[in-house]
Amino acid sequence: MSCRFCQDASLSIRAKLGRCKRCMIQLAVMNSLLWPIWFVWFSNTPKSIESITLLFAGGASAILLALHLILMPFRRGDSDTQL
């Protein structure tokens, strides 16, 4: 990630959530790619390694996007507006 909030290693994850629009767009794209791929090709074999990997990746990106979107209204005044 290349925004100033994401590159600052001194900030905790809680301080970074909800600030970067670029991160949220990337997570939305990941979700829009991972879930359809899992549903179309791997939903019939939920115990395969590939299916489990896609589920974990999709779940993690969905949770992270949800956290960003929940905290975004509280960080509106001090967010990084550059894309």
Side-chain angles (χ1 to χ4, degrees):
M1 306 294 171
S2 59
C3 73
R4 63 186 168 108
F5 294 110
C6 294
Q7 287 181 348
D8 190 359
S10 66
L11 292 175
S12 68
I13 187 77
R14 289 181 63 202
K16 294 177 183 181
L17 288 173
R19 294 183 191 266
C20 181
K21 290 180 185 177
R22 182 180 294 150
C23 298
M24 289 183 258
I25 291 169
Q26 288 175 352
L27 286 168
V29 169
M30 283 176 57
N31 277 313
S32 65
L33 293 174
L34 290 173
W35 288 112
I37 289 171
W38 178 83
F39 186 72
V40 171
W41 286 294
F42 296 103
S43 63
N44 57 352
T45 58
K47 293 184 181 180
S48 70
I49 297 296
E50 297 87 0
S51 179
I52 294 169
T53 303
L54 281 171
L55 282 173
F56 273 106
S61 65
I63 290 170
L64 189 55
L65 180 61
L67 288 172
H68 270 290
L69 293 175
I70 290 169
L71 291 175
M72 186 175 62
F74 300 108
R75 312 284 171 104
R76 190 159 208 147
D78 57 355
S79 66
D80 189 25
T81 58
Q82 288 184 338
L83 286 178

